Structure formats: structure tokens, C-alpha cells
Amino acid sequence: MLLDGEAWASKVQGFKREAWRLETLPWYRVPSEDGDIRDFLTGRRIDPQNYSSAYTDGLRKLIAEGKTKGRVHIVTRPLTDYLRFEFMYYEAHALAGDDIRILDVTDRPNPLAGVQDFWLFDRSDVVLMHYTEDGTQIGRELYEGDPAPYVEYQRIALAESVPFREYVNGGHRA
């Protein structure tokens, strides 16, 4: 079943305990970010310590409710311009409570090779994220099979990754 509009919003906002995502792409094409990326490439930066948005406000609210939200992003060096841009926001999001981890596969085999982007909600609901080769999202699909393989992918991703702050401070796990 494809998830759009209200069905997607309901899934993202309606989880009980945990929302977790695996990100595998070096670039996500999000038209609303084009101007921000251009600004970033010309040297403009946000102040992560003082940054506030609907997303960070929502994260703080989730954390206050006892829920968790996290992700692992699989990367290779050198980072793409998009990943450098995204890392700027990861800093602010991590400060707001997002558990962001990085799995750098530059110098080692990818333990999740072939696994596509997905969201895992409460370790029971899986939403597969579909993208074109250039990172344009073309759909979200509620996976109707056994979530166990995705729970295992999450376990592997968490075990093989490092916290975002550790990664940017040079703590690459190889």
C-alpha cells in the first residue's frame, strides 16, 4: 500500500515509542531544499546551538513524551555536497534529541549492501522509501510482510555505526 498525504503524516506522527530510519543515498533531491543548498555552497551556515524549526520543536516534544527518533545514514568519503549540507542540520537535530548515527563504508564492506531506505515504526511497521537514481523520492510503501528482517537491519546498522558527534570529531569506525 502506497502512503501519501494524510496516511504518511499519520504514520510519522502516530508512532507509540520509536521512529527509526535507514538512509542509504549520498544525495536526496528535495526541491524545497534547493535554495538552502545553494546558500550552503556559498558559505552560509546555521547556528546549530540556536537553530529552531518545526522539526526540532517536534523532536523536543517527542522526547518529552518519552518517544525516540533516530536514524543511521550510510556514507562514503568524500562526502557529497548534499551530505555536508545535511550534516549541518544533523548537528541541530541531534541537539534536539534525534539519535543520529553514521555508518561509514569507505574502507570496508557495507554490511547492509542492497538494503533500501526505510522507516521502522515501533519495531513493527515498515515503510519502504522509493527513490530514483538521482535521489528523487517517488513513493512510500507500507511493507506488509514480516518486519523481522528490518528489525535485524536496524540492529546491524546500530551496531556498525557511530554516533554523529563522534563521527564528525574523527571517530570513523573502519
Side-chain angles (χ1 to χ4, degrees):
M1 175 173 104
L2 294 179
L3 293 178
D4 287 318
E6 287 185 30
W8 173 241
S10 175
K11 186 60 67 183
V12 169
Q13 297 169 1
F15 67 94
K16 304 273 189 266
R17 296 173 312 280
E18 177 190 44
W20 186 85
R21 176 163 181 186
L22 179 69
E23 295 177 312
T24 65
L25 302 180
W27 192 285
Y28 293 91
R29 299 246 182 245
V30 182
S32 64
E33 293 179 340
D34 287 349
D36 292 335
I37 292 171
R38 274 192 304 277
D39 289 346
F40 173 81
L41 293 174
T42 62
R44 188 180 209 186
R45 301 292 185 267
I46 64 166
D47 175 2
Q49 298 291 330
N50 296 309
Y51 179 77
S52 182
S53 68
Y55 186 79
T56 57
D57 293 345
L59 276 170
R60 288 183 186 95
K61 182 176 183 256
L62 290 172
I63 301 307
E65 293 170 354
K67 298 177 182 180
T68 63
K69 195 168 192 181
R71 72 187 68 227
V72 169
H73 201 140
I74 299 173
V75 304
T76 56
R77 290 175 270 123
L79 299 178
T80 63
D81 287 342
Y82 180 84
L83 285 174
R84 291 185 314 105
F85 163 77
E86 190 170 53
F87 275 28
M88 176 178 66
Y89 284 94
Y90 278 178
E91 177 77 20
H93 296 170
L95 289 169
D98 208 342
D99 180 20
I100 301 169
R101 300 176 65 85
I102 304 298
L103 173 51
D104 189 323
V105 295
T106 302
D107 300 319
R108 65 178 176 145
N110 181 350
L112 296 169
V115 177
Q116 75 180 86
D117 283 41
F118 69 90
W119 277 95
L120 179 62
F121 298 98
D122 297 322
R123 301 174 62 90
S124 61
D125 291 335
V126 177
V127 176
L128 303 175
M129 306 298 287
H130 300 293
Y131 296 91
T132 60
E133 243 178 73
D134 74 351
T136 301
Q137 187 181 110
I138 55 173
R140 300 175 204 97
E141 177 187 0
L142 183 61
Y143 178 73
E144 297 183 16
D146 182 359
Y150 294 91
V151 172
E152 178 63 5
Y153 298 151
Q154 179 191 34
R155 185 198 66 73
I156 292 167
L158 293 171
E160 297 290 329
S161 62
V162 296
F164 173 74
R165 178 77 351 243
E166 181 179 330
Y167 182 81
V168 296
N169 287 333
H172 309 288
R173 184 180 293 171

